[in-house]
């Protein structure tokens, strides 16, 4: 056998022996409620000093070949650029949870006045799709083919890229312009649940406790710590208070509580800050708090 032939055989054997490395990760690109912080009109301490790397709630999903966003927030530019840098891939698609300002208005950056993208896939539920199709300026993104809508169905898994499956789960929320979904992201080995907005766990037709058993990570609505946190009737903007969620899950083993990561923090929520006493108590019970750059590996 010639030298070059044996070298080729060596390379071939090496390729067979080397396991294929698939990376599948989810990264937190923002952890704040829709209005962000500093929030317009807030004179309180919570917004007096802008914190580094605090953006409106969004996730990035990426593997060896592609990158996807969950929600297009008002902080879209920073978040999309960060995701593309770490994924080393342009964003192929965006999944939208609902039509509240923190979750879709970043689409504006895909239009003619800005990036002028070409047919970026935007995955939507039917009412969300109708809202974008029938209202300016979003209809122009569709007319000029900056984006193309891909319809999702509730509870129906969609294979988006090399074994990353995404399933929308309808959740009760103030659905003025669209329905609201959370997403179940299933990678090759691990599953992650993402529900940034829901009215209350008790009015959902699914059980958070049961879902927790099925998933490895759950990033869930932590908008408010408790009642009375803001100076207006909180029943008008219902969310499960973190202390309600902690009491709902109180009987679970620490191992199950460890799966829970709170996110979507209102500017007034003290647990936004790592130094918060309430946060330290909840962390001692096993809960986590999501922040920019937190990563979840769906592969190992
Ligand atoms: Zn929100
Ligand atoms: Zn504030
Ligand atoms: Zn909302």
């Amino acid at each position: 056998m010639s030298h070059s032939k044996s070298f080729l055989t060596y390379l071939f054997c090496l390729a067979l022996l080397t396991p294929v490395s698939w990376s599948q990760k989810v990264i937190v690109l923002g952890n704040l409620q829709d209005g962000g912080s500093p929030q317009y009109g807030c004179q309180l301490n919570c917004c007096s000093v802008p914190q580094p790397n605090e953006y409106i709630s969004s996730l990035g999903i990426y593997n060896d070949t592609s990158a996807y966003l969950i929600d297009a927030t008002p902080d879209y530019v920073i978040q999309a650029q960060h995701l593309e840098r770490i994924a080393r891939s342009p964003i192929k698609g965006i999944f939208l949870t609902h039509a509240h300002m923190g979750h879709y208005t970043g689409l504006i950056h895909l239009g003619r006045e800005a990036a002028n993208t070409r047919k970026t896939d935007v995955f939507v539920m039917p009412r969300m799709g109708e809202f974008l199709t029938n209202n300016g300026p979003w209809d122009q993104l569709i007319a000029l083919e900056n984006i193309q809508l891909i319809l999702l169905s509730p509870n129906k898994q969609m294979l988006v890229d090399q074994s990353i499956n995404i399933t929308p789960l309808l959740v009760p929320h103030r659905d003025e312009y669209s329905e609201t979904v959370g997403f179940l992201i299933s990678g090759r080995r691990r599953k992650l649940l993402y529900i940034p907005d829901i009215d209350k766990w008790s009015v959902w037709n699914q059980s958070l406790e049961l879902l927790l058993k099925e998933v490895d990570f759950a990033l869930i609505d932590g908008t408010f710590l408790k009642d009375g946190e803001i100076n207006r009737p909180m029943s008008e903007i219902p969310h499960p208070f973190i202390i309600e969620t902690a009491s709902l899950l109180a009987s679970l083993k620490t191992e199950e509580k460890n799966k829970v990561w709170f996110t979507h923090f209102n500017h007034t929520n003290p647990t936004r800050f790592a130094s918060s006493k309430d946060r330290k108590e909840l962390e001692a019970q096993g809960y986590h708090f999501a922040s920019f750059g937190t990563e979840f590996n769906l592969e190992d």
Side-chain angles (χ1 to χ4, degrees):
M1 195 187 280
S2 71
H3 277 306
S4 63
K5 226 176 182 178
S6 63
F7 182 64
L8 280 176
T9 312
Y10 166 76
L11 280 184
F12 180 69
C13 293
L14 197 67
L16 284 181
L17 290 170
T18 310
V20 180
S21 89
W22 297 103
S23 118
Q24 295 185 323
K25 286 182 178 164
V26 172
I27 182 168
V28 176
L29 297 169
N31 61 354
L32 293 182
Q33 180 269 353
D34 302 41
S37 179
Q39 187 156 130
Y40 176 61
C42 180
Q43 314 291 339
L44 304 171
N45 283 344
C46 50
C47 292
S48 61
V49 183
Q51 302 296 304
N53 293 328
E54 272 196 324
Y55 307 110
I56 294 163
S57 292
S58 162
L59 294 183
I61 306 168
Y62 67 100
N63 61 18
D64 294 323
T65 55
S66 45
Y68 292 84
L69 264 178
I70 294 196
D71 282 338
T73 85
D75 295 321
Y76 180 86
V77 177
I78 293 169
Q79 294 171 318
Q81 283 181 340
H82 185 77
L83 178 60
E84 290 184 340
R85 205 163 37 238
I86 56 164
R88 282 179 266 136
S89 160
I91 287 165
K92 276 200 186 163
I94 304 168
F95 288 77
L96 298 180
T97 57
H98 65 303
H100 281 163
M101 66 166 275
H103 300 267
Y104 78 101
T105 57
L107 289 179
I108 210 85
H109 292 286
L110 277 60
R112 183 179 256 173
E113 307 94 316
N116 196 33
T117 58
R118 177 94 191 119
K119 291 190 174 177
T120 298
D121 290 340
V122 175
F123 299 85
V124 289
M125 294 294 287
R127 262 188 82 201
M128 182 78 220
E130 276 169 36
F131 172 77
L132 296 175
T133 306
N134 298 321
N135 291 283
W138 322 108
D139 57 347
Q140 184 174 284
L141 298 173
I142 298 164
L144 297 181
E145 298 190 328
N146 301 125
I147 65 172
Q148 57 183 5
L149 299 185
I150 298 178
L151 278 190
L152 297 166
S153 304
N155 305 318
K156 200 165 163 219
Q157 206 175 57
M158 178 167 282
L159 175 67
V160 284
D161 204 278
Q162 289 190 21
S163 83
I164 294 180
N165 286 288
I166 302 197
T167 310
L169 306 174
L170 279 168
V171 296
H173 190 41
R174 294 170 289 109
D175 294 342
E176 301 93 336
Y177 298 111
S178 73
E179 64 281 86
T180 302
V181 290
F183 290 111
L184 180 64
I185 304 163
S186 307
R188 206 176 296 273
R189 297 221 179 95
R190 307 236 180 246
K191 289 182 185 171
L192 183 148
L193 176 70
Y194 184 54
I195 302 182
D197 274 281
I198 185 168
D199 284 356
K200 292 283 179 192
W201 300 118
S202 57
V203 290
W204 196 24
N205 60 6
Q206 300 215 38
S207 150
L208 176 64
E209 303 96 297
L210 288 181
L211 260 174
L212 267 183
K213 288 193 204 313
E214 285 176 33
V215 303
D216 301 279
F217 315 104
L219 276 80
I220 56 173
D221 187 338
T223 310
F224 301 114
L225 174 64
K226 56 186 175 193
D227 201 5
E229 190 176 309
I230 57 167
N231 195 15
R232 55 171 148 148
M234 292 182 80
S235 56
E236 288 172 10
I237 37 169
H239 289 275
F241 301 126
I242 290 181
I243 58 162
E244 286 178 335
T245 305
S247 116
L248 176 72
L249 305 178
S251 62
L252 298 187
K253 290 183 189 147
T254 310
E255 177 187 316
E256 295 291 293
K257 291 176 187 166
N258 282 160
K259 296 176 179 177
V260 175
W261 293 72
F262 291 109
T263 188
H264 194 269
F265 306 118
N266 200 57
H267 61 121
T268 53
N269 187 335
T271 62
R272 248 177 78 198
F273 302 101
S275 58
S276 146
K277 196 171 125 291
D278 295 298
R279 171 159 160 175
K280 284 181 180 157
E281 279 170 20
L282 287 152
E283 284 171 338
Q285 291 169 38
Y287 302 106
H288 300 287
F289 291 77
S291 59
F292 180 82
T294 305
E295 280 203 323
F296 302 92
N297 196 336
L298 302 185
E299 175 55 20
D300 65 13

